Amino acid sequence: MVLALFRFLFRFRGWKITNSKEVTQEILDRCVIIAAPHTSNWDAVYTIAWFDIANINWRFTIKKEWIKPPFGKMLLKMGAIGIDRTPKKAGEKRPSMVQAMANLFTENEKLAVVFTPEATRNKVTEWKMGFYHAAKLANVPIALGYLDYQKREAGVTKLIVPTDDMEADLKQIMDFYKDKIGKYPNKFSVDLRYA
């Protein structure tokens, strides 16, 4: 019922989906997806509607402790996947968050993990880079997903396959997002270290 409402709002407010031909369903079945700009709670509504309409089986990561009652079932239905950083054997080092996220791709044949690298709806000039390191470690592409409120457009029109030149890769990512307009444009910035 919630999904139906989100889809209705997406269409009623005149949003459209724009994907490039290089972004196939096969790629979207196994990738890291950036969701930016992130300036409003409405971003979640339109992103969930867009992913549902486009048949993207997306997930987002949270600590495994959140997958317990009373909210666990609801979060799982919304696409949550718990990150377990417990060592597999006694005496082993606890895996980093990035390693734990990369491990999800080993454990799941189809997985599209969504990241909001700004990590807040407020303006930041440095993004969290876990999305990049997890994609590189898991050897999966980064799909540059976006919501442009000015054009009322949602989509993935560019892919980045992480290379050994992180700076060049991130410059491409920032160049892609620099003209995307969030609901509150004054709350969005690309990572100025790579702009």
Side-chain angles (χ1 to χ4, degrees):
M1 186 144 153
V2 172
L3 279 176
L5 175 61
F6 287 4
R7 286 192 306 267
F8 169 77
L9 288 170
F10 186 91
R11 291 181 172 122
F12 180 74
R13 293 198 171 161
W15 283 80
K16 62 183 179 290
I17 297 171
T18 305
N19 289 339
S20 70
K21 290 180 181 175
E22 71 172 343
V23 183
T24 63
Q25 188 65 47
E26 184 179 2
I27 288 170
L28 292 175
D29 280 344
R30 190 169 175 79
C31 68
V32 162
I33 302 177
I34 294 176
H38 181 40
T39 65
S40 164
N41 287 332
W42 279 101
D43 300 341
V45 172
Y46 295 130
T47 299
I48 291 168
W50 154 38
F51 286 169
D52 188 55
I53 293 165
N55 199 29
I56 298 170
N57 185 21
W58 65 285
R59 307 290 294 275
F60 65 94
T61 58
I62 59 174
K63 292 180 180 179
K64 69 171 183 166
E65 289 78 15
W66 282 94
I67 307 294
K68 295 179 181 174
F71 301 110
K73 282 187 179 182
M74 180 183 70
L75 288 168
L76 288 169
K77 284 185 178 186
M78 290 174 58
I81 186 167
I83 293 289
D84 185 356
R85 295 180 59 201
T86 308
K88 298 292 182 204
K89 296 178 184 173
E92 280 186 350
K93 187 179 171 185
R94 184 178 179 204
S96 70
M97 184 64 88
V98 167
Q99 181 65 60
M101 287 186 214
N103 290 347
L104 293 174
F105 286 95
T106 304
E107 299 160 8
N108 296 276
E109 185 181 334
K110 291 185 177 184
L111 183 65
V113 179
V114 176
F115 287 82
T116 54
E118 299 151 271
T120 177
R121 292 179 306 277
N122 296 315
K123 186 174 184 175
V124 295
T125 57
E126 292 187 9
W127 289 13
K128 305 287 185 189
M129 292 296 146
F131 74 90
Y132 183 87
H133 298 296
K136 183 159 177 50
L137 197 56
N139 196 29
V140 297
I142 301 168
L144 306 189
Y146 69 95
L147 293 174
D148 190 315
Y149 280 77
Q150 190 172 55
K151 297 177 181 175
R152 294 199 184 268
E153 189 175 277
V156 177
T157 56
K158 187 171 178 70
L159 298 169
I160 298 289
V161 176
T163 68
D164 291 330
D165 190 343
M166 179 178 168
E167 186 171 346
D169 295 342
L170 290 169
K171 282 183 178 181
Q172 285 186 65
I173 292 170
M174 298 313 144
D175 188 53
F176 175 83
Y177 283 106
K178 70 182 178 187
D179 65 349
K180 303 301 182 271
I181 308 296
K183 182 167 179 61
Y184 300 108
N186 61 322
K187 290 186 173 185
F188 177 65
S189 174
V190 296
D191 190 317
L192 297 181
R193 296 172 296 178
Y194 305 101

